Amino acid sequence: MGRTIFASQDKWRKHPMISGGAKGMLMFPGLLTATAIFSVYLVVETIYKQVTAKPHSGTIYKYKKNELGEMPELAKEKKKKNKDHH
């Protein structure tokens, strides 16, 4: 008489995938591997982008170098003549 009508409803709690304790990653078998591979991919991609990036010039102005120790001067740009322009 120790058995009740609701005894079968708790069977899922004793399933090996749920009650694994330290083996909780068994519920998601490839998650740990996928996370490690994705992390390595992100690191490699970031390093690759930094190595292959073109140098960024922070200014649109051209400077003319003077003698050592003197301040550089703003170089005057020569306008290019456009043959098509009348």
Side-chain angles (χ1 to χ4, degrees):
M1 267 218 157
R3 190 176 167 131
T4 65
I5 14 175
F6 301 112
S8 63
Q9 290 184 352
D10 289 334
K11 281 185 179 179
W12 67 271
R13 295 178 191 263
K14 295 177 183 171
H15 192 276
M17 287 183 73
I18 303 297
S19 64
K23 299 178 184 178
M25 288 306 288
L26 290 177
M27 194 178 311
F28 307 103
L31 183 63
L32 187 61
T33 305
T35 303
I37 291 171
F38 185 67
S39 299
V40 169
Y41 166 75
L42 288 178
V43 169
V44 169
E45 181 185 25
T46 303
I47 292 171
Y48 176 76
K49 283 184 176 182
Q50 288 178 354
V51 168
T52 60
K54 294 181 181 178
H56 177 72
S57 176
T59 181
I60 59 172
Y61 301 107
K62 304 285 183 194
Y63 291 96
K64 183 175 91 173
K65 292 183 180 180
N66 291 332
E67 293 296 321
L68 185 64
E70 293 183 13
M71 293 290 292
E73 294 178 1
L74 191 59
K76 296 180 182 178
E77 291 187 28
K78 296 178 182 176
K79 292 185 180 179
K80 295 179 182 178
K81 293 182 181 180
N82 192 353
K83 294 179 182 178
D84 296 333
H85 185 66
H86 297 288

